[in-house]
Amino acid sequence: MSTTVATPTDLLGLVGTPMGTTDWLTIDQDRVNLFADATGDHQWIHVDPERAAAGPYGRTIAHGYLTLSLAPVLVGQVVTIEKFDAAVNYGLNKVRFPAPVPVGSRIRATVSLTAAQEKPFGVEATFTLTYEVEGGERPACIAETVVLYR
């Protein structure tokens, strides 16, 4: 399921609506290592498979912020706006990481439109993403991300 609208203004009437669920995405060690290099966060739980095997999760896990950073790509999988000038990541309202994302696992997100309002400079839309790990019992991340469509 995905949602397509003609313009950002069309989102105003869809508040409270599920937008869709993304495809599964495998989180591999290469992606985690690249994120560690980009951010300087080389904590062993993320980048040292040998040491992490003896750690609390039995293997390396993705950075929480790596999981969160996938939000624009994931929203883009399920929300299509046919005509707009720009989309800007405007911020976050709330983020929680209730469960780890083990390296080698697959994640996906369910996306809902939880708020939308017209502003003088465009439409501000708030999406709630609930990330799940395939076979997991709890969400890996729940985030409210705000996008400004101009």
Side-chain angles (χ1 to χ4, degrees), residues 90-116:
Y90 198 58
L92 299 160
N93 291 336
K94 183 179 178 182
V95 179
R96 296 291 182 267
F97 302 105
V101 176
V103 168
S105 63
R106 296 190 329 155
I107 64 169
R108 69 178 178 184
T110 301
V111 180
S112 297
L113 179 66
T114 50

Side-chain angles (χ1 to χ4, degrees), residues 33-48:
N33 292 345
L34 286 169
F35 189 83
D37 289 343
T39 62
D41 182 354
H42 292 93
Q43 186 182 78
W44 63 268
I45 196 77
H46 305 302
V47 298
D48 187 342

Side-chain angles (χ1 to χ4, degrees), residues 50-72:
E50 193 172 298
R51 185 172 176 192
Y57 304 108
R59 58 181 157 166
T60 52
I61 60 170
H63 304 74
Y65 286 127
L66 166 56
T67 304
L68 179 62
S69 75
L70 297 170

Side-chain angles (χ1 to χ4, degrees), residues 15-48:
V15 173
T17 303
M19 299 282 102
T21 300
T22 68
D23 295 331
W24 289 104
L25 173 67
T26 300
I27 303 299
D28 61 25
Q29 190 64 56
D30 287 340
R31 182 184 297 262
V32 171
N33 292 345
L34 286 169
F35 189 83
D37 289 343
T39 62
D41 182 354
H42 292 93
Q43 186 182 78
W44 63 268
I45 196 77
H46 305 302
V47 298
D48 187 342

Side-chain angles (χ1 to χ4, degrees), residues 5 8 55 98 108 115 117 149:
V5 296
R108 69 178 178 184
Q117 53 187 322
Y149 294 98

